[in-house]
Amino acid sequence: MSADPEYLHVLTHLYEKSLILHDTSLFDKTLYFYFLDALAHIDYTCSVYAFNYQSPKNIMGAEYMRWRIDEEKKGDRVHFPAFMAWLKEKKPEKFAKLPSLWQMIYDPEDPASYRSFRIVPDPDSRQALSPGFFLIIIDEFFEQEFLKSLYEEASLSRLFAEFLSQKNS
């Protein structure tokens, strides 16, 4: 099976993004994990559309995705889904500004999920996600205001700390 050029274009769009203007070592560790996690799910889903399921790229991606399942259970990472639900309820204006992929996946009322590591907005649909869907969600993760909010002591990080302190009290 040859590669699908529409999804290769999406992967190129993702791979050409850069964090050079940001010091990711200063990002909140949990938020950074979920930022990269979302990008990995985007990459994996597009790669499944672009390449044969058994291509080395997809096999390597699946191996990484299996590894991250255990990683999301470490430290404060385990609280991220509950944090997103809390944001939706307590700070809906902030929740609405987050990347739509996070909104879909972590909204308990939304049927979207990661299934077999792929992004599945509607579990009842058998339609492939359009390349345009991916272009939009990729750009949202690289918006400067969102990236700035990931830093320790930045807006989203402070809200995550507030959530954790309320949860632990």
Side-chain angles (χ1 to χ4, degrees):
M1 173 190 231
S2 60
D4 184 322
E6 287 184 277
Y7 293 99
L8 285 176
H9 170 71
V10 170
L11 289 169
T12 300
H13 184 70
L14 173 60
Y15 300 148
E16 287 178 345
K17 296 293 184 181
S18 174
L19 294 170
I20 194 129
L21 299 177
H22 294 276
D23 185 351
T24 58
S25 68
L26 297 177
F27 281 4
D28 178 284
K29 303 302 180 230
T30 299
L31 299 179
Y32 184 58
F33 174 84
Y34 279 95
F35 168 74
L36 288 181
D37 182 65
L39 298 182
H41 282 285
I42 293 168
D43 170 77
Y44 185 76
T45 305
C46 285
S47 293
V48 168
Y49 289 148
F51 303 103
N52 180 294
Y53 184 73
Q54 288 297 316
S55 74
K57 177 166 183 16
N58 288 334
I59 292 170
M60 290 183 300
E63 290 302 316
Y64 166 78
M65 299 307 278
R66 276 191 274 285
W67 169 83
R68 61 143 311 272
I69 289 171
D70 290 331
E71 291 298 305
E72 75 181 341
K73 297 173 187 167
K74 294 181 177 176
D76 289 335
R77 294 174 185 166
V78 72
H79 303 294
F80 185 78
F83 165 63
M84 294 297 289
W86 176 84
L87 266 182
K88 182 182 179 200
E89 180 185 335
K90 303 287 185 190
K91 311 277 185 188
E93 70 289 343
K94 183 65 175 178
F95 183 81
K97 291 181 182 177
L98 293 175
S100 57
L101 181 60
W102 275 6
Q103 291 177 42
M104 289 186 299
I105 296 297
Y106 298 108
D107 179 348
E109 297 171 15
D110 193 311
S113 63
Y114 296 133
R115 298 203 175 179
S116 300
F117 311 127
R118 292 174 298 107
I119 299 166
V120 180
D122 178 2
D124 295 327
S125 175
R126 299 292 173 242
Q127 296 278 343
L129 297 175
S130 73
F133 169 83
F134 291 104
L135 295 172
I136 290 167
I137 63 174
I138 290 167
D139 287 343
E140 289 175 346
F141 278 104
F142 287 91
E143 287 179 359
Q144 290 304 307
E145 289 305 308
F146 172 70
L147 290 172
K148 286 189 237 177
S149 77
L150 299 178
Y151 282 95
E152 294 173 351
E153 302 303 320
S155 60
L156 194 57
S157 180
R158 282 194 313 271
L159 287 170
F160 187 55
E162 177 185 334
F163 167 76
L164 291 175
S165 69
Q166 287 180 12
K167 184 177 180 349
N168 295 328
S169 58

